[in-house]
Amino acid sequence: MSWELPHTHRSASGQVRWNRLGPPDAPAVVLLHGTPFSSYVWRGVARALARRHRVYVWDMPGYGASEKFEGQDVSLAAEASVFVELLRMWELTDPIVIAHDSGGAIALGAHLLDGVRYRKLALVDAVSLPPWGSDFSALVGEHADVFVRLPPAAHEALLREYVGSASSPGLHPATLEALVAPWVADGQAAFYRQLAARRGDRSYTDAMQDRYPRISIPVSVIWGEDDTWVPVERGRELASRIPGAQLRVIPGAGHLVHEDQPAELTAALFEFLGEGVRPAGRPSPPSA
């Protein structure tokens, strides 16, 4: 089943591709992906939520189908600014926000630093508390100028190993292919550019640390028990810092809980949204 983002928005950080699913008069839900992924990871969850919600999905500048170019600002602060731009363009004043990985830091920053209101917030294996980032991403980010010169075949082999490590049971080959596709060929430089940007992003998340206890909206913290990128202990600590936050740990799931345990993640989100349980099942791999 294909995944397409037919709409565009010219943001301050380049052209953004996005889509909207579900009934136009339903409650709004916005999904944020993380690094180095795209909205593709949300495809199964988005389609399930769209039965009862107006679901917005987008690829951040520098990611997925959105524009990538030399000198592009792909810092968390810049991505958060684009997120705020999109919310205004979509005319959403208090959406439900569901965010994964660095998308979690962006959602938290927009709320705590920029004053954006949400109805509810779900944080899935979210970048939020230090230290964050895998050893690989730290190494590559520090030496991006070296890695960007890798021969294409070596880059692609390294990329597949890295992205595949985000899953606990392992990714379907077609899913792995879809996740690495934006970063091969012309996307190679963009891949190392976004990892290099994360090295300077610690100050962005550090600025939020003392503000987590001020969050007053309903929050669900959902984590893959086998996450090796952002260990589940971070999720437990994050939930303990946010008043009233729910914590759901999903067994058998790594960092890409959407791929590892999609039915359990979808059920947890429906429960948090007060819609009952409507599991989506394992997302279909992309069509050939």
Side-chain angles (χ1 to χ4, degrees):
M1 192 175 294
S2 64
W3 181 249
E4 298 179 355
L5 304 178
H7 305 295
T8 61
H9 170 70
R10 174 58 61 180
S11 79
S13 295
Q15 183 171 274
V16 172
R17 302 299 297 257
W18 66 277
N19 197 14
R20 179 174 52 225
L21 301 82
D25 57 346
V29 174
V30 184
L31 303 177
L32 282 73
H33 68 81
T35 303
F37 309 109
S38 69
S39 62
Y40 178 81
V41 298
W42 286 117
R43 66 200 181 282
V45 172
R47 288 170 175 140
L49 293 176
R51 300 171 190 171
R52 295 286 185 90
H53 298 83
R54 182 170 29 120
V55 179
Y56 293 81
V57 291
W58 59 297
D59 285 353
M60 297 177 192
Y63 294 80
S66 290
E67 190 175 11
K68 307 173 185 68
F69 55 86
E70 185 66 33
Q72 186 176 26
D73 188 352
V74 291
S75 66
L76 293 179
E79 303 287 11
S81 294
V82 173
F83 177 45
V84 175
E85 275 185 53
L86 287 169
L87 292 178
R88 290 190 186 122
M89 189 265 290
W90 293 329
E91 299 182 339
L92 302 180
T93 55
D94 62 341
I96 298 163
V97 173
I98 303 172
H100 175 247
D101 186 76
S102 59
I106 290 164
L108 285 164
H111 183 60
L112 293 171
L113 305 178
D114 299 320
V116 176
R117 298 190 319 174
Y118 307 144
R119 184 177 306 181
K120 292 184 176 184
L121 174 62
L123 299 166
V124 183
D125 296 76
V127 168
S128 53
L129 298 170
W132 50 262
S134 66
D135 292 342
F136 172 86
S137 63
L139 174 66
V140 173
E142 185 176 355
H143 302 286
D145 58 329
V146 175
F147 281 90
V148 75
R149 298 198 298 269
L150 282 174
H155 161 69
E156 189 167 346
L158 180 150
L159 178 63
R160 289 177 181 278
E161 181 67 24
Y162 174 53
V163 172
S165 72
S167 168
S168 179
L171 295 170
H172 187 287
T175 299
L176 179 59
E177 183 69 26
L179 292 176
V180 304
W183 304 120
V184 298
D186 294 341
Q188 179 169 339
F191 175 76
Y192 296 109
R193 193 158 52 236
Q194 52 89 26
L195 286 182
R198 291 296 161 266
R199 291 188 66 231
D201 280 332
R202 301 299 170 91
S203 61
Y204 185 79
T205 53
D206 287 350
M208 294 184 262
Q209 301 303 303
D210 295 336
R211 305 188 187 206
Y212 293 147
R214 305 181 195 176
I215 297 175
S216 59
I217 57 173
V219 173
S220 178
V221 177
I222 304 172
W223 228 267
E225 187 174 40
D226 302 329
D227 190 341
T228 58
W229 285 25
V230 188
V232 68
E233 288 74 20
R234 302 277 195 285
R236 293 192 176 100
E237 184 179 354
L238 178 62
S240 72
R241 293 195 186 191
I242 300 174
Q246 304 174 7
L247 174 64
R248 176 72 68 89
V249 177
I250 299 182
H255 191 63
L256 282 174
V257 62
H258 337 53
E259 305 296 339
D260 293 354
Q261 297 293 345
E264 286 77 1
L265 174 60
T266 304
L269 290 171
F270 270 120
E271 182 180 328
F272 177 59
L273 300 182
E275 296 288 340
V277 178
R278 297 175 177 83
R282 179 169 288 276
S284 301
S287 56

